[in-house]
Amino acid sequence: MNNTKIYCGWYVTIACAVAALCLGGIVWTFGVFFKPLENEFGWSRTLISSGYTAFLLGHAISILVAGRLVDKYSPRPILFVSAVTGGLSVALASLIHSVGELRLFMFLAGMGTGANWSVPAAVVQRWFYGRKHAGVALSIMVTGLGVGALVFAPLINYLILSYGWRTSYLVVGIIFFVVVSLATIFIRPSPSEKVSSVNGKKVAVEVEGWSTRQAMATAAFAGIIFLFCIGDISFMLISVHLIPYALDVGISPTLAASALGLMGGFSIPGRLSGGFLAEKLSWERLLAYSSFGMAASIVLLIFMKTSWVLYLFVFLHGLFFGVRAPAMIGILSNFFGMRSFGALIGITGAITVVFGAMAPYLAGFIFDTTGSYFWAFMILMVALVAAGVVAKAIKKPVTR
């Protein structure tokens, strides 16, 4: 890759990070709307959580479809459709009057945001696969998700306090459309496909790596799915229920919303360091350490009574979650190559989001049944420890 192409690859990476930033702003911040919806409609936490579950189910479908499309087509039109669908659906959430409407608009918003994960991940990996600083480029891209939480959570909280939750949904939808559309202008396919000369004509050579079917048949792929599922379950449960839990123990809405945003902010150094650490450690070890670290942080959450414990939790959990983010993508390309990378990103993303989608709903059910989040957090902690053990044991499959 010559210097011009390297330079182009970096600005494509930044554009992909911006697209991911908008995804982070949507995925991380449903919890900020939780109490306003509860206060206005009197819905149970199970019902409100079902809106996020609907969002994640739509998100899973979108990740799967976009992942397959980006293996064959230019990323630009795929992301532009995401900008239109996601922005419009989030804006329409300002019209919610029933649980059914909440689920419908959140499902459509999920359908419009999945491409903001699978497309940037595939594009950046293809630009830098097998080249120097590939891990760094990947870290920059996934850092966008953390920045999105850091920016959007306090912004949405301000909008809700100043103008109400309906206006907040409308504004966020507009921001999503505008920013993702602008990012799309700077994203282009990588020039990394190999070519050979046959009778003086350039002919594309098949990209190296495993086929989708071959990869899915390995024990390593099953282990990766388990790791991803537990990580997503942790993120989705906490991003939805952290704020209502903090309010339950007497922490103010502003501090609680700031803490949620800071958890995304604290994930930034973890995301950035993940790429550098990958040059010394394996992706598997990074996943193991991040899982154990996230499990340890849950202890603070269980016994949280004051704001300083909340902030200590979001610092540790955000940091270790951030380390996990680039490792999720890096381990797939390292184990299976780039031949079907977009499809594998889509499949793993869809499966893990479907499983993770049930976590907020089940946590809400546990709270409504027991009056406490204790058992939800305990189960999550045990699951994260199990994920760490699996990550330590997983091995790269042998090429067939």
Side-chain angles (χ1 to χ4, degrees), residues 29-341:
T29 55
F30 183 83
V32 184
F33 290 97
F34 206 103
K35 275 292 185 178
L37 291 172
E38 185 179 41
N39 292 338
E40 176 157 340
F41 297 109
W43 297 333
S44 70
R45 296 191 180 181
T46 305
L47 288 177
I48 298 174
S49 298
S50 70
Y52 193 62
T53 298
F55 168 83
L56 294 173
L57 292 175
H59 191 65
I61 296 171
S62 181
I63 289 175
L64 180 62
V65 173
R68 290 186 175 275
L69 290 176
V70 79
D71 279 336
K72 300 179 179 180
Y73 305 106
S74 170
R76 284 181 172 176
I78 302 172
L79 270 181
F80 184 72
V81 171
S82 170
V84 174
T85 307
L88 179 61
S89 301
V90 172
L92 286 174
S94 63
L95 305 177
I96 290 170
H97 287 94
S98 67
V99 173
E101 291 174 343
L102 171 67
R103 292 168 178 164
L104 173 62
F105 294 137
M106 287 297 99
F107 176 80
L108 294 175
M111 287 286 291
T113 57
N116 288 63
W117 169 248
S118 50
V119 172
V123 169
V124 171
Q125 279 294 86
R126 287 201 167 95
W127 271 94
F128 288 92
Y129 180 69
R131 303 184 185 279
K132 188 177 181 180
H133 302 314
V136 177
L138 184 58
S139 293
I140 291 173
M141 190 281 290
V142 298
T143 295
L145 292 167
V147 175
L150 183 63
V151 172
F152 275 76
L155 172 63
I156 292 172
N157 184 65
Y158 167 78
L159 290 171
I160 290 175
L161 293 177
S162 301
Y163 306 104
W165 64 269
R166 295 186 184 277
T167 300
S168 300
Y169 266 130
L170 179 62
V171 172
V172 171
I174 294 172
I175 292 174
F176 182 90
F177 168 73
V178 172
V179 175
V180 176
S181 296
L182 291 175
T184 301
I185 297 173
F186 299 96
I187 295 175
R188 63 182 64 183
S190 76
S192 62
E193 288 78 12
K194 297 180 179 180
V195 295
S196 63
S197 180
V198 178
N199 296 326
K201 297 181 179 180
K202 290 185 176 181
V203 180
V205 176
E206 184 179 31
V207 178
E208 296 179 356
W210 297 59
S211 70
T212 304
R213 182 174 298 181
Q214 288 174 332
M216 292 180 65
T218 64
F221 188 81
I224 289 172
I225 290 292
F226 177 76
L227 293 174
F228 289 10
C229 282
I230 299 303
D232 275 19
I233 285 170
S234 175
F235 163 70
M236 294 168 188
L237 189 157
I238 290 172
S239 65
V240 173
H241 290 282
L242 179 63
I243 289 180
Y245 175 60
L247 297 181
D248 288 344
V249 300
I251 296 171
S252 72
T254 300
L255 288 178
S258 297
L260 181 62
L262 283 173
M263 189 165 71
F266 288 135
S267 77
I268 293 173
R271 295 171 191 270
L272 289 173
S273 63
F276 292 97
L277 290 172
E279 297 179 1
K280 299 181 180 298
L281 303 172
S282 66
W283 293 117
E284 305 94 283
R285 292 175 69 183
L286 285 180
L287 285 168
Y289 297 152
S290 67
S291 297
F292 289 139
M294 290 166 67
S297 71
I298 299 297
V299 177
L300 293 170
L301 191 61
I302 292 174
F303 297 103
M304 183 180 74
K305 297 296 181 184
T306 58
S307 58
W308 75 266
V309 177
L310 170 63
Y311 282 101
L312 180 58
F313 162 74
V314 298
F315 168 72
L316 292 174
H317 198 82
L319 183 66
F320 285 110
F321 180 82
V323 170
R324 170 185 175 272
M328 290 171 56
I329 302 173
I331 194 173
L332 277 177
S333 61
N334 183 50
F335 275 27
F336 304 113
M338 297 303 299
R339 178 180 172 186
S340 304
F341 183 73

